[in-house]
Amino acid sequence: MTIIRISDDALARACGADEVAAAFAKAGATVERTSSWGMQWLEPLVEVDGKGFGPATVDDVAAILDGSSDKAIGVIAEHPFIASQQRLTFARAGKSRPLSLEDYEQHDGWVGLKRARQIGSEQIIAEMLHSGLRGRGGAGFPAAIKWKTVAGAVADQKYIVCNADEGDSGTFADRMMMEGDPFALIEGMAIAGEAVGATKGYIYIRSEYPDAIDKLRKAVNLCAHIIAPFECEIRAGAGAYVCGEETSLLNSLEGKRGEVRAKPPLPALQGLFGKPTVVNNVLTLCAVHHILAEGGAEHYQSLGIDRSKGTMPIQLAGNIKHGGLYETAFGITLNELVYDIGGGTASGRPVKAVQVGGPLGAYIHPDQFEVPFDYEAYAKLDALIGHAGITVFDDTADMGTMARFAMEFCAVESCGKCTPCRIGSTRGVELIDRIRAGGRVLEGVELAPQMHNMPKKGRSQEDEIKLLEDLCETMKFGSLCALGGFTPYPVMSALKHWPDDFRGK
Amino acid sequence: MSREQRLSEIIADHQGREGPLLPILHDVQEEFGCVDEEAERAIALALNLSRADVHGVVSFYHDFHTKADSRPVVQICRAESCKARGVEALIEGAVKTAGERVKLADVYCLGLCSSGPNARVGDKLHARLDGAALNKLIENA
Ligand code: SF4
Ligand code: FES
C-alpha cells in the first residue's frame, strides 16, 4: 500500500495542502502528514515512495496516483535544493511526522537529553562552550555564557524562556521548526533546564503563528512524562513586535506592558518574576540536542568559518523564484543564495536589493553580494545577519518608500520607553517625506534671528538628508533596544545605495 | 450564563497561574470580541491591580480591542516580503471589495514570506494571493 506524504506546515496548508490531502484520502490512499522539506515554491509537495510532485492541486491527484503526473520532480532527497544543504537543525524536516513521538525517537530524539542527565550541569555547559554555538537571535552572543551565569546564580526558582516571538518579515525558520519538529525545541529547553537547574520553561509564541501554538501545545502534552520533572508551558503573545526583545518579552509574560527593561540587571540574574532566567530563541534551543549528543559539540564547531560556527537556517523570501528554507554552514554568499539556489526573482526582473535579517536589517546592493555570510563580515558592511532572512526585491522596488516604511514601522511598534525611538521614528517619517518632496521652503516666514541654527528659508533637500543621517546616528546610539537602534540600518543603507529613490531622480 | 458569570469563570481559570493577565485577556477578547471597561474592572479587582494597570496592558497590544466589532476580519500582510511580492497593488481593490461589511486589518508577517501576498481569516492562512483570490477571500469572509 503506497503512503502519500504531505506536509501540514502552515505554508503548505495556506497553499491548499489540506484540500489535496483530503482528495487523496477520498481516492482511497493512505495519507500521512509530515513536516515540510522547505521547498516552498513546490508546496503543497506530495511525496510518494520518496518521489516528489508539486506544487500539487486537487486536480493532480488522479495523475499522481497513476504515475502520469507532469508535476514530478524526481527523488526529493536528491533534489539539488536539498542535496546541497548541510542540515543539522532541520535534519528531520520532511522526514518525520511532527507530533509522532515514535518518529522523533527514531531520528535521534531524546538522545541529547538522556546524555545531559548523565553528565550534569558543568559538563553540559563545557560542551556548549566547545560547540561555539552563538545565540541565533541576532546579536550572536555565545549561548553557553548565559547558561553559565544562570547556573551560577542561587535562587529557589529559575526559568528557561524560549523567545518564539521573533517574527521578522522574511523569516520563518522558527515557525517551521515549531510546527515541524516541536519535540526538538522542548528537548533543548529540558537540557537547558538540566544545565542551569531550572524546572520550569515557557515558550512565548507570537499570536501571528496559530499553527505553531497549536502544535506545541499538543507536543508539550505528549512528552510531559519524558521531560519531567521539567515542565513546559506555551504562552501566546498579543501582537506587539517589540516583545521579540528579550526583556519586553519577560514583561509580557509577567502580564505587563511589553516595555523593554534597561539592563542591568541581566535577565540571567533577575529575569522572569525577578528570578534567574535563560532566554534563548527557537533556533538556538533547537541546536542544543544535537550538540549534547555524543560527539555533537565537536561536529558542530567543525562547521562554519572563523567565529561563526555551525550551520544557519537561511530563509529565502520575497521576490524569489525558489523560496524556502536552506540550511548551510556559514560562509555562503548572497550571489550563491539568490541566483544559484534561489533562481533569481520570481518576477523574472533584475534583482535590485536584498534585505538581510528582517525589517531592521540593511538593504544589500548587488555589488556587495560576494561578501560571505558571517557575523563579523556583515558587521563590517554595516549590516546584520539577524535571523538570516533573505528578502529579495526586483527593480520595481522603490527604496525611498521602503526606508519610509521602516521608520513608520518603528513608530507604530515603539514601546515608548526612550525618546530617540519613540519620537525619532515619527520625525524620521516626516523627514523622508520632506526629502522626497525636494526639501522644505518656508513661504512668507521670517525666522527669529536668535535661532542661530535654523536656516532662514527652510531646508534644501541636501540639508534634510543630513538631518536624516543625524537622526539615524542618534537613534542608533541612543536607543535602548534593537527596534530603535537598528531601524537606521534599512534607512541608511537604502539612502546610501539608492539615493535617486529619495531625490526623485 | 450571564456575561458576568462567564467573565469570572475565565478569570478563575487562570488566576492560579504565574502571570495570568495575558491569558485572561486573550480569553476575554476571544469570548466577547473585546476587553471593555467592565471587563477591565473585574480583572483588576480579581488580580489586585488598578484598572489603569489593566488598561495600560490592553492598550499596549494590537490583539486587544476596547470595542467589539462584529464584522468578519481579513488580515493582510503588508510587511517587507509581501511588499516585494506586490501586496501594495492589491490594497485598493481589497478596500473596495471589503466596503463596510468586512474589516480589513494589516498584519506584519505571517511567516509565509516566500509565497506572498498572504492573508489570514480567523486561524486559516492563505498564500500566493493575487487580486482575484484576495477579493474572493474577502467576499467569502
Ligand atoms: S528603542 Fe524603542 S522599542 Fe526599544 S526600548 Fe526604546 S522606545 Fe522601546
Ligand atoms: S512578509 Fe508577509 S508573510 Fe512574511
Side-chain angles (χ1 to χ4, degrees):
Chain A
M1 175 88 205
T2 37
I3 294 173
I4 306 287
R5 294 163 62 86
I6 301 173
S7 161
D8 66 353
D9 174 90
L11 177 68
R13 296 183 61 211
C15 294
D18 291 351
E19 290 76 9
V20 174
F24 273 108
K26 201 167 154 220
T30 308
V31 180
E32 257 181 20
R33 300 304 293 270
T34 62
S35 49
S36 164
W37 285 94
M39 293 193 278
Q40 299 185 330
W41 75 98
L42 292 172
E43 294 284 13
L45 177 61
V46 174
E47 183 177 345
V48 190
D49 292 332
K51 295 200 185 75
F53 302 86
T57 65
V58 172
D59 297 335
D60 294 318
V61 167
I64 292 175
L65 283 173
D66 71 22
S68 68
S69 171
D70 57 358
K71 299 258 176 92
I73 61 152
V75 176
I76 294 180
E78 290 166 10
H79 191 285
F81 189 86
I82 301 292
S84 60
Q85 296 189 43
Q86 284 175 292
R87 287 197 160 179
L88 271 186
T89 312
F90 278 85
R92 282 175 287 272
K95 297 177 185 162
S96 60
R97 290 166 293 176
L99 291 174
S100 160
L101 277 172
E102 194 188 323
D103 284 13
Y104 187 61
E105 258 156 52
Q106 246 171 38
H107 290 95
D108 305 325
W110 313 117
V111 173
L113 179 61
K114 275 191 204 115
R115 197 160 157 273
R117 287 187 168 157
Q118 284 159 10
I119 61 179
S121 165
E122 225 165 286
Q123 182 70 20
I124 299 175
I125 293 172
E127 296 197 7
M128 284 288 289
L129 257 180
H130 182 59
S131 74
L133 173 68
R134 293 167 76 165
R136 291 295 185 248
F141 196 70
I145 305 282
K146 258 191 207 175
W147 290 23
K148 209 175 170 172
T149 313
V150 179
V154 183
D156 55 344
Q157 173 81 64
K158 299 176 185 179
Y159 295 101
I160 309 295
V161 171
C162 170
N163 180 353
D165 194 62
E166 292 175 346
D168 288 343
S169 162
T171 69
F172 41 80
D174 286 7
R175 181 188 65 65
M176 287 185 68
M177 206 56 218
M178 290 190 278
E179 290 179 22
D181 205 358
F183 296 127
L185 172 57
I186 299 168
E187 184 177 356
M189 290 181 73
I191 293 172
E194 202 66 32
V196 306
T199 50
K200 175 93 199 186
Y202 286 100
I203 307 178
Y204 182 96
I205 310 178
R206 63 201 302 265
S207 58
E208 290 85 346
Y209 291 171
D211 287 36
I213 294 173
D214 181 55
K215 276 269 179 59
L216 268 164
R217 286 218 164 110
K218 288 180 180 143
V220 161
N221 285 336
L222 284 169
C223 72
H225 63 287
I226 299 172
I227 58 168
F230 188 77
E231 247 179 72
C232 200
E233 190 178 325
I234 312 302
R235 288 281 172 97
Y241 177 79
V242 74
C243 289
E245 194 65 40
E246 67 174 5
T247 54
S248 40
L249 182 147
L250 294 175
N251 275 336
S252 185
L253 264 178
E254 290 179 9
K256 300 179 184 145
R257 293 164 66 90
E259 277 168 357
V260 175
R261 298 179 188 169
K263 288 190 246 183
L266 290 174
L269 297 172
Q270 287 179 43
L272 189 59
F273 304 110
K275 305 288 184 187
T277 304
V278 169
V279 187
N280 280 147
N281 78 345
V282 175
L283 297 182
T284 312
L285 288 163
C286 286
V288 167
H289 72 101
H290 172 80
I291 291 169
L292 259 290
E294 199 72 56
E298 190 61 39
H299 177 231
Y300 197 85
Q301 77 100 40
S302 71
L303 298 168
I305 54 169
D306 293 335
R307 286 167 54 211
S308 301
K309 294 300 185 195
T311 61
M312 192 73 189
I314 293 166
Q315 298 124 88
L316 304 175
N319 193 340
I320 191 162
K321 200 162 162 202
H322 296 156
L325 187 115
Y326 193 87
E327 182 173 356
T328 186
F330 284 97
I332 194 165
T333 67
L334 279 183
N335 269 333
E336 293 171 82
L337 286 169
V338 174
Y339 297 110
D340 305 347
I341 299 158
T345 60
S347 60
R349 302 182 65 94
V351 176
K352 177 165 185 173
V354 169
Q355 188 177 32
V356 178
L360 308 177
Y363 286 102
I364 313 277
H365 190 276
D367 290 349
Q368 305 169 302
F369 280 9
E370 265 311 303
V371 176
F373 218 64
D374 150 77
Y375 287 108
E376 277 71 31
Y378 265 64
K380 264 195 219 128
L381 270 192
D382 228 350
L384 318 163
I385 286 193
H387 230 70
I390 307 278
T391 300
V392 179
F393 291 80
D394 72 10
D395 61 346
T396 61
D398 174 21
M399 304 315 288
T401 308
M402 294 314 294
R404 185 188 193 277
F405 174 68
M407 281 289 186
E408 214 185 334
F409 185 72
C410 181
V412 171
E413 296 295 336
S414 171
C415 85
K417 185 120 176 168
C418 50
T419 325
C421 166
R422 184 186 66 240
I423 297 177
S425 50
T426 299
R427 292 291 173 261
V429 174
E430 295 165 1
L431 259 170
I432 294 173
D433 283 346
R434 290 205 301 269
I435 293 169
R436 283 160 53 95
R440 178 170 62 164
V441 182
L442 299 176
E443 268 171 46
V445 182
E446 203 38 40
L447 291 172
Q450 62 268 38
M451 307 273 291
H452 66 277
N453 56 351
M454 268 245 189
K456 279 258 161 49
K457 296 219 166 6
R459 286 185 212 100
S460 69
Q461 195 172 42
E462 291 312 309
D463 290 339
E464 300 278 22
I465 289 177
K466 261 197 217 95
L467 208 55
L468 179 65
E469 286 167 355
D470 244 29
L471 175 71
C472 281
E473 283 292 292
T474 309
M475 287 177 72
K476 198 165 165 184
F477 296 106
S479 295
L480 193 55
C481 84
L483 182 53
F486 288 1
T487 296
Y489 282 107
V491 176
M492 291 311 296
S493 55
L495 183 62
K496 179 170 162 203
H497 297 300
W498 299 275
D500 291 354
D501 285 7
F502 288 75
R503 296 197 174 110
K505 277 176 205 154
Chain B
M1 192 188 305
S2 77
R3 201 192 120 96
E4 219 171 301
Q5 278 171 327
R6 182 66 193 120
L7 197 55
S8 36
E9 204 178 83
I10 291 174
I11 296 171
D13 270 354
H14 298 290
Q15 210 165 2
R17 301 168 77 173
E18 298 180 310
L21 185 52
L22 233 51
I24 291 176
L25 293 178
H26 269 302
D27 284 3
V28 170
Q29 169 76 39
E30 165 94 21
E31 178 89 22
F32 304 113
C34 69
V35 185
D36 61 11
E37 220 184 293
E38 187 196 328
E40 280 182 4
R41 254 182 240 292
I43 296 166
L45 193 69
L47 300 188
N48 199 16
L49 296 166
S50 72
R51 187 169 89 80
D53 282 332
V54 178
H55 185 69
V57 173
V58 170
S59 58
F60 185 85
Y61 296 97
H62 298 305
D63 286 2
F64 305 134
H65 307 285
T66 46
K67 264 204 205 86
D69 187 334
S70 58
R71 292 177 295 169
V73 181
V74 176
Q75 290 182 304
I76 303 174
C77 176
R78 295 178 75 179
E80 281 84 352
S81 298
C82 285
K83 284 194 199 300
R85 297 179 67 91
V87 66
E88 293 305 321
L90 310 183
I91 298 297
E92 202 183 321
V95 169
K96 239 188 236 141
T97 313
E100 294 292 303
R101 191 186 70 82
V102 175
K103 181 178 169 192
L104 293 186
D106 296 339
V107 56
Y108 293 94
C109 195
L110 297 164
L112 316 172
C113 322
S114 64
S115 312
N118 306 313
R120 173 177 175 179
V121 187
D123 274 350
K124 200 159 163 38
L125 302 170
H126 304 266
R128 289 185 199 139
L129 297 168
D130 54 17
L134 180 60
N135 289 337
K136 205 164 130 208
L137 204 64
I138 294 168
E139 272 162 23
N140 296 336

